Amino acid sequence: MSPVVVERRESALWARIDRPEAGNACGSEVMAGLEAWLDRAGEPGVGVLVLTGTGRSFCAGADLTEGTSLLADPPALKAFLERGRDLVRRLRSAGRPTIAAVNGAAYGGGLELLLACDIAVAARSARIGDRHVAVGQVPGWGSSAMLPAAVGPALARRLLITGETWTADEAAHRGLVSEVVDDAGLADRAAEIARAIGALDATAVTRMLKVARPLDDERAWAREADTLDEHIAHQINARRPR
């Protein structure tokens, strides 16, 4: 069974990360499921992509258990991290509008998945933050590159450096999500937005994506990747016997 449940709802193709026991952490199997979801974006009649999670987490981040297990195999760890970065960038450039229905905690890689989506709607109970520094890590899937465009440089630095989390209302006030709804109404609201987009002229929507999406600063993405490589090398060296 895939830990990502994909289903068609009218013109929207939904993906629901289904690892509630692990906070919907994004490991290799989740990545494979999300890649398969994106593979289907071009199917006839698909107008919108919607991403959400099961239970109390949208996505708690990259799977640290899997990542830590790969510290003894640096090439495999590098491939794991690059796969996650490629997934986020693929979502960010998807050929259909993307909606994040943020049902709960969105930390680390979960924040990066949120940032990659065009529209984010949050349940009132959601909690959102970068949180990499809180677990002794640095971002690798784009939060340092995407956050400044989403909330401005000052708030981006604050979120990255402090590791703090924001409530859904705080995230909306600061522009990280566009709307907050009661938990029970989240799926219906995401479906309503998807339905409204699906009723529009598909060609116009596709062209609108070209002008509505922020331009990426490739230097910021490269700086983040280089910094992650340095940090991983430090962690590997720290584990070696003295």
Side-chain angles (χ1 to χ4, degrees):
M1 295 290 292
S2 171
V4 177
V5 178
V6 177
E7 60 179 328
R8 181 77 174 267
R9 303 186 192 176
E10 300 176 343
S11 65
L13 189 66
W14 286 63
R16 175 168 51 86
I17 304 175
D18 192 27
R19 292 187 71 202
E21 75 287 351
N24 294 328
C26 192
S28 296
E29 291 185 356
V30 170
M31 291 185 208
L34 293 177
E35 289 162 351
W37 167 58
L38 291 172
D39 286 342
R40 295 181 56 188
E43 289 183 356
V46 172
V48 185
L49 301 173
V50 183
L51 177 62
T52 193
T54 298
R56 300 175 63 182
S57 287
F58 173 72
C59 174
D63 190 328
L64 293 181
T65 300
E66 182 174 353
T68 301
S69 73
L70 295 174
L71 282 171
D73 187 354
L77 177 58
K78 184 176 179 65
F80 172 79
L81 295 170
E82 288 180 348
R83 184 179 185 182
R85 185 184 307 132
D86 290 345
L87 171 65
V88 168
R89 300 207 72 176
R90 186 178 170 193
L91 177 59
R92 189 164 171 80
S93 61
R96 300 289 185 271
T98 52
I99 300 172
V102 186
N103 57 293
Y107 301 145
L111 171 65
E112 288 160 323
L113 289 170
L114 183 164
L115 287 166
C117 291
D118 297 309
I119 299 169
V121 180
R124 200 164 302 280
S125 66
R127 295 296 181 268
I128 301 169
D130 181 74
R131 301 290 293 162
H132 281 100
V133 73
V135 292
Q137 301 298 326
V138 296
W141 295 356
S143 59
S144 72
M146 294 184 287
L147 264 173
V151 300
L155 283 173
R157 286 194 296 270
R158 173 174 155 182
L159 201 60
L160 289 163
I161 294 170
T162 66
E164 70 184 23
T165 62
W166 293 345
T167 65
D169 286 330
E170 288 171 331
H173 178 70
R174 292 159 180 163
L176 192 53
V177 302
S178 63
E179 186 176 355
V180 178
V181 299
D182 290 339
D183 288 32
L186 178 65
D188 286 344
R189 181 57 181 145
E192 183 181 11
I193 296 171
R195 192 177 302 116
I197 295 171
L200 300 172
D201 179 84
T203 300
V205 169
T206 299
R207 290 196 173 123
M208 186 62 76
L209 292 178
K210 295 181 179 180
V211 296
R213 286 174 171 164
L215 293 173
D216 279 332
D217 184 345
E218 294 301 328
R219 296 171 301 174
W221 284 90
R223 180 181 63 181
E224 182 180 281
D226 289 344
T227 302
L228 178 63
D229 286 346
E230 293 171 5
H231 194 67
I232 294 300
H234 165 76
Q235 291 182 312
I236 291 171
N237 287 333
R239 290 168 62 91
R240 287 175 177 159
R242 300 295 182 183

